[in-house]
Structures are given as structure tokens and as C-alpha cells.
Amino acid sequence: MHRTQTEYEDNLTFKVFIFQFCNFYSSIFYIAFFKGKFVGYPGNYTRVFGLRTEECANGGCLVELAQQLLVIMVGKQMINNCQEVAVPKIKQFIQRWKLKGSLGDRESTRWEEDYQLVENEGLFEEYLEMILQFGFITIFVASFPLAPLFALLNNWIEIRLDGAKYLCEVRRPVAERAEDIGIWFSILDAIAQIAVVSNAFLIAFTSDFLSRALYKYKHDGVLDGYTNYTLSTSPEGSMSQTCRYLDYRDENGAYKVTYFQLLALKLLFVIVFEHFVFGVGKLIDMAVPDVPESLEIKIKREAYMAKQALSELQVESRVL
């Protein structure tokens, strides 16, 4: 049992978010960081339950990831907006049908009309939708930079859809006092930190940015012959004919020195990138106060005036 209602709601929110996080992001993380990474090489392919592990398409896993995010940020959000319009109307129709005939022939009063509206279910689903969207546009933004633009367009439309829903189709909610947005803030902060590390690994391991940079560094800044540089030759006797595949291996299937040079460069990039971004974020956090100075002065002034009023009231009570 939780000690307070706030603790109960925070724990429930966290558990639901973890479930939804795994549900929505598992396939995206698989494409971004696991698909095509443990394939093996001709003659020694990696197999799981007798089946070869899945490889990336010809365009690479980064293109597949961008396509997946495009479907989510455009197609899925269009379906969600249609549901935002249709579901409340269907619920309101069912509600009115259930209450049909209960008023008789007389004209209904204002509160009776309000009672026929759909019961307000709170803002939990709205918060969850926005948090998941925030994750899509931050954790994988390096693979699909247009995601924030599609999110902005979606939110511009959804503000108006939600406004119409809460004004015309949903009962007025009962006001409740709240100190802040609760555990949602901690979840947002955690997603922001995951996004930094995720984008660092996307740039380093999923894209070919660093392999191109290393090749240009070794060949006087040109990319002539880069494709051949990234291809290896299948071991002799492993195939019916010689083939080329994307990897840094020699004729025996062992990794070349280039592979380890590139791996060290990738790890160095991840460390430098995340420390740089976290450092900039910390500097911004220190430079920008949580409470503006003008507002802080007003808060202190109100606290001082309340203290003065209380002291005057105590003096008057003693005189009387």
C-alpha cells in the first residue's frame, strides 16, 4: 500500500509508461542498434534457432529507421487524430441513447444537458501521448531530423481537436490542486538523457559518418574508392563463387586493423559527444534560473506582505 494518493499515482504512471515504452520503442531500438550487427560472414553466418539473423536493406539500417519513424510520425499520428474526433462523438451518442426518454417531453435544463456529455477521464492519456511523442522526436532525431516538424504540425492540429472535445463533448472536470506535473517531469528528464546517448550511438555505429571521416583522413580528404574500402572478400571455398560483403575482414574472416581503428574512433566519439552535450545542458541549466528574477521578487514581496498582515493582526488581537 502506498502512503499517499500522490505516491500511488506516480507509481502507476511509471509502470504504465515502462510498459508503453517497451511496446512502442522495442522495434525502433532493434532496427537502430541490433539489426544487421551480428550477421557473421560467408561460411560462418550467425544463426539463432537454425535461422540466419536478419540483415539491413541495401540502403542500410539508418534508412529503415527513418522509414519506420516516418510511418509513426505521420501515419500513426493521423490515425490518432481521427480517433480524437471519432471516439468522443461515439461515446456521446451512446450516452445520449442510454438517457433517451428519461427526461420525458419537457425541455432539459442546462445541468441535465451537461450530464449527457461524456465523463471526463482526466489528462493521463494526453500526458502519455505527449511523452511518447517526445521520445520519438529526441531519442532517434539523428536518423529522421524532420520528426520535430511533423510533431509540431500534429500538436498544432491536436490543440484545436482537444479544445473542441473538452468544450463541447466532455463534462467539466473537477478541479484538483497539484504541486507540479508529478513523475512526468522525471520521465521527461530521463528521456532527454537517453536521447543524448542514443543519438551518439546512432551517429557512431548505425550511420557511416565516422567511417567516411576516417577514410577521408587517410586519403587526403577524398572519397574515391570508399565503397571498395568498406567491402570484404568472402573466404576461399565458403561460396560457390567469390562475393563481396559489407565488413572489415580479411580473406580468412578475421577482422582487419581498420575495424579496430574505427571501433576505437566510434567509442571515442560517443564519449566526447555525450560529455559535450551534457556539459552544454548543465551550463544552460545554471545560466537560466528555474524561477525568473522578477517573479522571485514578487513572491518574496507577497510573503513579506502576508507576514506583515499577520503581525498586525496579532497586535490588534492583543490590544482588544
Side-chain angles (χ1 to χ4, degrees), residues 10-80:
D10 286 348
N11 281 274
L12 176 63
T13 299
F14 180 72
K15 291 173 183 177
V16 172
F17 170 76
I18 290 297
F19 174 79
Q20 295 291 358
F21 184 90
C22 297
N23 188 33
F24 278 91
Y25 295 118
S26 56
S27 61
I28 309 295
F29 272 102
Y30 167 71
I31 295 173
F33 302 117
F34 298 100
K35 186 177 181 180
K37 299 296 187 297
F38 310 100
V39 177
Y41 58 91
N44 188 26
Y45 287 112
T46 303
R47 298 180 181 274
V48 178
F49 300 113
L51 302 174
R52 279 180 54 183
T53 56
E54 192 176 11
E55 298 184 44
C56 296
N58 294 332
C61 286
L62 203 65
V63 175
E64 290 189 40
L65 183 60
Q67 293 172 346
Q68 187 85 351
L69 290 172
L70 179 64
V71 171
I72 292 172
M73 298 305 299
V74 179
K76 186 175 183 301
Q77 290 189 151
M78 290 178 62
I79 295 174
N80 287 343

Side-chain angles (χ1 to χ4, degrees), residues 194-239:
I194 292 173
V196 175
V197 179
S198 173
N199 283 289
F201 276 93
L202 274 176
I203 297 171
F205 287 90
T206 306
S207 72
D208 59 353
F209 171 74
L210 293 180
S211 60
R212 286 174 177 269
L214 181 62
Y215 184 84
K216 291 173 70 175
Y217 174 77
K218 290 183 175 180
H219 296 81
D220 300 325
V222 295
L223 286 173
D224 296 339
Y226 171 74
T227 301
N228 186 63
Y229 170 78
T230 60
L231 296 176
S232 299
T233 305
S234 60
E236 186 177 355
S238 61
M239 307 287 289

Side-chain angles (χ1 to χ4, degrees), residues 27-269:
S27 61
I28 309 295
F29 272 102
Y30 167 71
I31 295 173
F33 302 117
F34 298 100
K35 186 177 181 180
K37 299 296 187 297
F38 310 100
V39 177
Y41 58 91
N44 188 26
Y45 287 112
T46 303
R47 298 180 181 274
V48 178
F49 300 113
L51 302 174
R52 279 180 54 183
T53 56
E54 192 176 11
E55 298 184 44
C56 296
N58 294 332
C61 286
L62 203 65
V63 175
E64 290 189 40
L65 183 60
Q67 293 172 346
Q68 187 85 351
L69 290 172
L70 179 64
V71 171
I72 292 172
M73 298 305 299
V74 179
K76 186 175 183 301
Q77 290 189 151
M78 290 178 62
I79 295 174
N80 287 343
N81 286 335
C82 293
Q83 290 178 342
E84 290 275 353
V85 175
V87 172
K89 291 186 179 298
I90 294 173
K91 287 183 177 180
Q92 189 178 32
F93 174 79
I94 295 174
Q95 177 82 351
R96 292 182 182 276
W97 181 76
K98 289 181 178 179
L99 297 174
K100 185 178 180 181
S102 60
L103 300 176
D105 297 331
R106 65 181 178 84
E107 185 177 355
S108 59
T109 60
R110 179 62 186 178
W111 68 268
E112 288 174 330
E113 292 179 357
D114 291 343
Y115 181 74
Q116 295 180 16
L117 298 176
V118 180
E119 184 178 357
N120 192 299
E121 298 178 351
L123 297 175
F124 179 85
E125 293 296 331
E126 301 293 336
Y127 270 113
L128 182 62
E129 182 182 355
M130 290 295 101
I131 296 294
L132 292 173
Q133 184 192 79
F134 178 74
F136 282 122
I137 67 176
T138 54
I139 297 177
F140 309 103
V141 68
S143 63
F144 189 52
L146 287 177
L149 175 62
F150 287 116
L152 176 64
L153 295 175
N154 172 78
N155 293 345
W156 182 78
I157 296 172
E158 190 166 353
I159 285 174
R160 284 145 184 82
L161 294 178
D162 286 343
K165 178 178 71 173
Y166 284 110
L167 283 173
C168 305
E169 299 169 2
V170 177
R171 297 176 192 171
R172 180 183 297 176
V174 178
E176 295 181 4
R177 296 186 63 182
E179 183 180 3
D180 48 33
I181 63 174
I183 199 173
W184 291 116
F185 181 81
S186 300
I187 293 174
L188 282 171
D189 184 61
I191 289 177
Q193 296 184 35
I194 292 173
V196 175
V197 179
S198 173
N199 283 289
F201 276 93
L202 274 176
I203 297 171
F205 287 90
T206 306
S207 72
D208 59 353
F209 171 74
L210 293 180
S211 60
R212 286 174 177 269
L214 181 62
Y215 184 84
K216 291 173 70 175
Y217 174 77
K218 290 183 175 180
H219 296 81
D220 300 325
V222 295
L223 286 173
D224 296 339
Y226 171 74
T227 301
N228 186 63
Y229 170 78
T230 60
L231 296 176
S232 299
T233 305
S234 60
E236 186 177 355
S238 61
M239 307 287 289
S240 58
Q241 58 183 0
T242 302
C243 70
R244 306 293 299 277
Y245 61 98
L246 190 65
D247 209 341
Y248 297 93
R249 297 177 183 269
D250 57 21
E251 291 79 3
N252 298 319
Y255 285 116
K256 299 178 181 178
V257 176
T258 306
Y259 170 82
F260 296 102
Q261 292 175 343
L262 187 58
L263 179 62
L265 180 62
K266 290 178 178 180
L267 294 175
L268 179 63
F269 174 84

